[in-house]
Amino acid sequence: PGVKIQLIDILKNRNERMLLTTTANSKNFRDTISQIMGSKQLSSMAELEVDVTNVINQSTENNNEPASSNDETATRAQDNEQDSPPRWFVKGYISKIPSGTAERLRDDQSFAINGRPVDLPKFSRMLNEVWRTLGASVRSRPCCVLEFILPKGAFDINVSPDKREVILSQTSELLDKL
């Protein structure tokens, strides 16, 4: 939401550009998905919004482990937010289980943390396993567009140069809740 995407072909002489496609600058998550994936795909998806704050806070209280030297950022973020506990949300859209004769739609999986596109292979694997247990074909995957809204110290994006690989501090708790 709030982003306009344009696909432009820059011709060989570099002086000429040809606009191939564009999206509107929508403020609505649903409209953005519809513009990129199509209204047919959107109609086959269900909205998902999960607040995992309580699960994460309970897990943190149960562990009560002191922060390691690598967790200085997390400690500083917690010190700055002592008045209110950090919030953890997962929101977005995920495919509904198709009926037996439904045509196969897209199976793209997109994840973002606080608006930054990332790769989350453990979450993708978990979604695929749950999808199959609910009766979907072995070869199919659910299409999803999920955004994780996490506190600043809850993840590390400095794992790879392209910043798509991340380390989450509470991966198992998030996987269990979802």
Side-chain angles (χ1 to χ4, degrees), residues 23-76:
T23 63
N25 187 1
S26 175
K27 301 284 185 202
N28 184 321
F29 199 46
R30 182 176 177 82
D31 291 343
T32 302
I33 292 171
S34 177
Q35 290 173 10
I36 294 171
M37 297 182 146
S39 59
K40 187 174 183 179
Q41 179 67 41
L42 182 62
S43 68
S44 73
M45 300 174 81
E47 188 171 8
L48 173 75
E49 191 163 327
V50 181
D51 183 351
V52 293
T53 304
N54 292 336
V55 173
I56 300 299
N57 288 342
Q58 287 173 358
S59 171
T60 305
E61 290 170 6
N62 291 342
N63 288 339
N64 278 337
E65 295 178 8
S68 68
S69 60
N70 293 336
D71 291 336
E72 291 177 21
T73 305
T75 304
R76 273 187 259 125

Side-chain angles (χ1 to χ4, degrees), residues 18-151:
M18 184 172 31
L19 180 64
L20 300 175
T21 187
T22 187
T23 63
N25 187 1
S26 175
K27 301 284 185 202
N28 184 321
F29 199 46
R30 182 176 177 82
D31 291 343
T32 302
I33 292 171
S34 177
Q35 290 173 10
I36 294 171
M37 297 182 146
S39 59
K40 187 174 183 179
Q41 179 67 41
L42 182 62
S43 68
S44 73
M45 300 174 81
E47 188 171 8
L48 173 75
E49 191 163 327
V50 181
D51 183 351
V52 293
T53 304
N54 292 336
V55 173
I56 300 299
N57 288 342
Q58 287 173 358
S59 171
T60 305
E61 290 170 6
N62 291 342
N63 288 339
N64 278 337
E65 295 178 8
S68 68
S69 60
N70 293 336
D71 291 336
E72 291 177 21
T73 305
T75 304
R76 273 187 259 125
Q78 288 172 353
D79 290 343
N80 292 338
E81 297 176 0
Q82 286 182 9
D83 297 340
S84 63
R87 307 297 295 175
W88 298 65
F89 290 100
V90 180
K91 67 177 187 174
Y93 289 84
I94 188 164
S95 297
K96 301 172 189 170
I97 298 289
S99 62
T101 59
E103 67 179 82
R104 185 179 161 127
L105 295 172
R106 299 170 67 135
D107 63 358
D108 300 333
Q109 295 182 345
S110 300
F111 303 98
I113 295 178
N114 297 348
R116 175 186 294 274
V118 295
D119 295 327
L120 295 174
K122 289 182 181 179
F123 287 88
S124 180
R125 215 169 313 137
M126 181 267 309
L127 286 172
N128 296 341
E129 289 172 10
V130 170
W131 182 254
R132 290 182 192 108
T133 63
L134 295 173
S137 161
V138 174
R139 293 181 307 205
S140 70
R141 301 179 337 152
C143 177
C144 69
V145 179
L146 297 177
E147 180 173 14
F148 294 76
I149 301 164
L150 309 177

